[in-house]
Amino acid sequence: MSGGSRCNVTNASVADADFWGGKRSIIRRVLRAFPVPDTIAFFEQIGVRLHEEAGGKLFPDSNRARDVLDALLREVDASGAELRAGRRVLDVIRTGTGFRIATSHGEFEADTVVLATGGQSMPKTGSDGAGFEIARRLGHTLTPPTPGLTPLLLSKDDLHGELSGVSHDVELTLWVDGGVACRIRGAMLWTHFGISGPAALDMSRQWLRATLDARAVRLTANLCPGSEFDALYRRWTTLAATRPKSTVRSALATLVPASAAAALLRRLHIDAMLTLAHFPRDERRRLVLALTAWPLPVVGSRGYDYAEVTAGGVPLTEINAATMESRVCPGLYLAGEILDVDGRLGGFNFQWAWSSAYVAATALARRPAEGVLVFARP
């Protein structure tokens, strides 16, 4: 499902600043253990060459996610590991120094267990939160989860109803308890239900975490990213002096898509055919304020069914960053999205999966020979 069925394997530039959740020093340590160049080399070694696209996104040259999956499955087979698919893990019970695993096909025992079950995003894939509950029963706490990288819903009377399908660059600002908490710049897509696209998806995590904490939250969009109120007002003043016969609509269409320009003017009850020479100062100020701080009345999100990641999970302080082994349940390892780490859109969450799995696998390889069970979503 990743990358529109092409699989955005990683990003050309990945740093701890691209992630939220746990302590960045821990995230940094894990990422450095298996950085992007090692990921690229690994996939090339197993027959998947990658190429870079806009935003540093790395995709397989074949542009087929199936080729990535097939290559990984071939490596599982080549390593001598046994893959037992179609078996639901119902519980993992601590038994002295080992574990008893209850599944839909009976029970068995293991000395070591790896939880790589993901979070709760896209539950039809198997990541329905069961891994969280297993970790909790084994002694871990949880940072309360919320959807991340999910489209946001707006109240019915906003611009999205008129602009469905229109995409353009914006800068979104999240206001929490009256102050600026976060700014995210990028492309935003207006939809029939609200907003989507990279900027909205990246902001969704911030909005949902703040509302989970019962904070006073609001979201605004600067439709002319990079231009603040004063600078944009001066630009309109200059336009009025240099192009007095231009209409407000034609001038506005040089800043935002024409359909957005028309919709904004209708919402503000500004005459679109008014010439700039006759554009009143107070209406000019209203327009500039709308362009730089358009309120987005978010009423919710499309939830886990559409979320590309889960924010929250097992705190990083409860694992050893050098091995990914649990600090509260020896012999238990955790990797990927089950941990309280979530990255922005663009291949970053995959890189966290590769890096954290590498750290766990390296630690497991140093253990005495024994059976290792890895529970992962399908």
Side-chain angles (χ1 to χ4, degrees):
M1 295 182 296
S2 165
S5 81
R6 296 195 299 135
C7 192
N8 183 187
V9 175
T10 185
N11 197 282
S13 178
V14 178
D16 57 279
D18 295 308
F19 298 84
W20 297 286
K23 293 179 63 175
R24 286 192 172 177
S25 58
I26 299 177
I27 297 173
R28 187 183 312 124
R29 178 172 183 174
V30 174
L31 292 173
R32 286 178 177 175
F34 192 72
V36 171
D38 291 3
T39 300
I40 296 172
F42 167 75
F43 277 99
E44 184 167 350
Q45 177 187 334
I46 66 173
V48 181
R49 293 181 61 86
L50 306 177
H51 67 270
E52 184 176 341
E53 297 187 9
K57 298 176 181 179
L58 295 178
F59 291 90
D61 284 352
S62 67
N63 289 312
R64 282 170 41 92
R66 170 61 63 179
D67 293 342
V68 178
L69 176 59
D70 288 346
L72 291 170
L73 290 173
R74 284 195 302 270
E75 286 303 298
V76 170
D77 186 60
S79 72
E82 180 184 354
L83 179 63
R84 298 182 181 180
R87 301 189 181 202
R88 177 76 177 184
V89 176
L90 306 175
D91 204 358
V92 179
I93 302 98
R94 185 74 185 184
T95 57
T97 59
F99 301 89
R100 186 174 79 254
I101 295 87
T103 81
S104 57
H105 287 63
E107 295 188 353
F108 50 90
E109 295 185 350
D111 297 311
T112 309
V113 169
V114 179
L115 282 179
T117 54
Q120 294 177 225
S121 55
M122 296 189 175
K124 65 182 179 181
T125 67
S127 59
D128 56 5
F132 285 156
E133 292 308 310
I134 291 173
R136 194 201 302 271
R137 288 194 292 270
L138 290 172
H140 282 283
T141 61
L142 288 179
T143 300
T146 62
L149 300 182
T150 188
L152 294 171
L153 307 176
L154 302 182
S155 61
K156 292 182 180 180
D157 61 347
D158 197 58
L159 278 177
H160 64 284
E162 302 176 61
L163 298 178
S164 181
V166 175
S167 177
H168 58 107
D169 284 345
V170 301
E171 182 180 69
L172 299 179
T173 300
L174 181 71
W175 303 79
V176 178
D177 297 334
V180 174
C182 178
R183 284 194 170 96
I184 292 176
R185 183 171 175 175
M188 185 182 77
L189 172 68
W190 299 95
T191 71
H192 66 282
F193 56 78
I195 53 175
S196 188
L201 294 180
D202 283 336
M203 182 57 79
S204 65
R205 187 249 193 233
Q206 309 299 332
W207 191 90
L208 289 165
R209 299 303 295 180
T211 55
L212 182 67
D213 294 336
R215 311 282 292 276
V217 186
R218 63 186 180 93
L219 187 65
T220 60
N222 185 334
L223 306 181
C224 300
S227 297
E228 298 303 323
F229 179 91
D230 290 343
L232 194 58
Y233 186 82
R234 288 194 298 270
R235 181 172 177 176
W236 277 93
T237 301
T238 301
L239 283 173
T242 58
R243 296 169 51 190
K245 294 184 179 181
S246 295
T247 64
V248 174
R249 184 173 66 183
S250 63
L252 183 56
T254 65
L255 301 175
V256 298
S259 54
L264 278 169
L265 294 175
R266 282 195 297 271
R267 287 300 180 112
L268 296 171
H269 303 292
I270 293 175
D271 184 355
M273 302 310 295
L274 196 65
T275 63
L276 295 183
H278 297 90
F279 192 22
R281 182 177 301 176
D282 60 337
E283 292 199 353
R284 189 188 311 166
R285 292 183 66 86
R286 280 201 305 121
L287 177 58
V288 172
L289 181 61
L291 287 169
T292 54
W294 183 263
L296 294 170
V298 180
V299 295
S301 78
R302 300 201 81 182
Y304 286 116
D305 284 343
Y306 293 88
E308 296 189 29
V309 72
T310 300
V314 176
L316 291 182
T317 52
E318 296 182 6
I319 59 104
N320 181 343
T323 62
M324 308 308 290
E325 185 173 12
S326 167
R327 294 184 182 276
V328 301
C329 184
L332 176 69
Y333 292 73
L334 301 99
E337 194 177 329
I338 193 171
L339 294 163
D340 182 19
V341 179
D342 56 292
R344 63 188 180 90
L345 196 69
F348 299 96
N349 291 292
F350 265 125
Q351 185 58 47
W352 172 253
W354 313 136
S355 296
S356 58
Y358 176 84
V359 173
T362 303
L364 289 166
R366 292 195 293 264
R367 294 177 69 98
E370 57 188 16
V372 176
L373 292 176
V374 180
F375 299 134
R377 63 181 177 184

